[in-house]
Amino acid sequence: EAGVAQSPRYKIIEKRQSVAFWCNPISGHATLYWYQQILGQGPKLLIQFQNNGVVDDSQLPKDRFSAERLKGVDSTLKIQPAKLEDSAVYLCASSSGSGTGDYEQYFGPGTRLTVT
Amino acid sequence: AQKVTQAQTEISVVEKEDVTLDCVYETRDTTYYLFWYKQPPSGELVFLIRRNSFDEQNEISGRYSWNFQKSTSSFNFTITASQVVDSAVYFCALISGTYKYIFGTGTRLKVLA
């Protein structure tokens, strides 16, 4: 079974530029998560999708961040414009979300973003 | 409110020592799930175990064991005979009625040869 795929793995941009990250979850997983992990900290949930609907985006800085999950499969996370403090690893995870307790998440390798 | 506390920021042990990582959680829901994840230096978070609130049985998997105690709201993780490959950051997490995932701040474990 293929794992969670993310691209790109690394990205360096200047502040005020735009960037987009892509995630393809494990096949059949209904729930998809985007996290921001700053060096030395735990993952911070940015947005959670159940199929193609948003379950939680309370910590997503909506003035600059946006995310979509068209057709309930893969997802993109965009930052526009980027700030220095956006430098972090962006993690995508998925879970089956079957409602029977299968809530363990499977994570992708992450995208390391550096904003200069 | 939901909360996960991992009070130990960093632990260092010598190889073959036993080590326990603490996790204390808060939730008002009666149905919830607890998890442990491992983040090795390579960076990819790996799921280790899930426990639901109705199952307080302790679990052992090889050198890993987990102690779930509702009375103290704790879900502690013990590594027996630690190895250098166990060096990683370990995260405890909680999901309950709102289905929001809450991660602790993590405990960095260093196992010295």
Side-chain angles (χ1 to χ4, degrees):
Chain A
E1 181 181 78
V4 177
Q6 287 188 250
S7 67
R9 293 294 311 278
Y10 305 92
K11 191 75 177 178
I12 301 174
I13 61 172
E14 295 182 352
K15 59 184 179 184
R16 290 187 289 274
Q17 286 187 325
S18 302
V19 65
F21 312 127
W22 174 82
C23 172
N24 191 32
I26 291 173
S27 178
H29 278 192
T31 309
L32 185 148
Y33 310 80
W34 282 103
Y35 290 91
Q36 180 192 61
Q37 187 175 25
I38 293 172
L39 188 63
Q41 298 183 17
K44 170 188 168 185
L45 181 67
L46 293 176
I47 189 166
Q48 176 181 343
F49 292 96
Q50 181 76 16
N51 297 308
N52 60 351
V54 175
V55 173
D56 180 13
D57 63 357
S58 57
Q59 298 191 96
L60 186 73
K62 297 180 186 62
D63 57 334
R64 298 184 301 106
F65 286 63
S66 64
E68 59 181 10
R69 190 184 185 196
L70 299 176
K71 301 181 181 178
V73 182
D74 55 353
S75 175
T76 56
L77 175 70
K78 297 179 182 177
I79 307 175
Q80 181 181 4
K83 293 185 175 181
L84 294 176
E85 59 260 36
D86 298 332
S87 294
V89 176
Y90 291 84
L91 299 166
C92 180
S94 69
S95 67
S96 66
S98 62
T100 57
D102 296 334
Y103 298 115
E104 54 267 30
Q105 297 185 30
Y106 296 89
F107 284 82
T111 297
R112 183 176 298 278
L113 173 69
T114 302
V115 182
T116 62
Chain B
Q2 297 178 116
K3 188 176 180 181
V4 174
T5 301
Q6 294 181 257
Q8 304 152 308
T9 306
E10 184 168 314
I11 302 174
S12 291
V13 298
V14 177
E15 206 170 20
K16 296 183 184 178
E17 286 186 352
D18 299 346
V19 59
T20 296
L21 310 181
D22 298 333
C23 173
V24 174
Y25 63 92
E26 293 177 32
T27 179
R28 295 179 184 173
D29 295 304
T30 55
T31 300
Y32 52 89
Y33 297 85
L34 295 161
F35 305 83
W36 277 95
Y37 289 85
K38 175 182 180 180
Q39 189 170 39
S42 60
E44 194 161 332
L45 275 148
V46 176
F47 163 72
L48 294 178
I49 190 172
R50 175 191 74 204
R51 251 309 172 252
N52 73 56
S53 53
F54 301 108
D55 183 2
E56 281 193 79
Q57 281 191 352
N58 293 328
E59 182 152 340
I60 298 174
S61 176
R63 298 184 296 106
Y64 294 174
S65 62
W66 291 270
N67 185 306
F68 175 29
Q69 292 195 336
K70 290 176 75 171
S71 61
T72 55
S73 297
S74 65
F75 185 41
N76 296 337
F77 174 26
T78 297
I79 302 175
T80 303
S82 60
Q83 299 176 1
V84 172
V85 293
D86 296 326
S87 297
V89 180
Y90 291 87
F91 292 96
C92 182
L94 164 71
I95 189 171
S96 64
T98 59
Y99 302 108
K100 289 187 179 182
Y101 238 88
I102 304 295
F103 277 86
T105 51
T107 297
R108 181 177 299 277
L109 174 65
K110 293 184 177 180
V111 181
L112 308 172

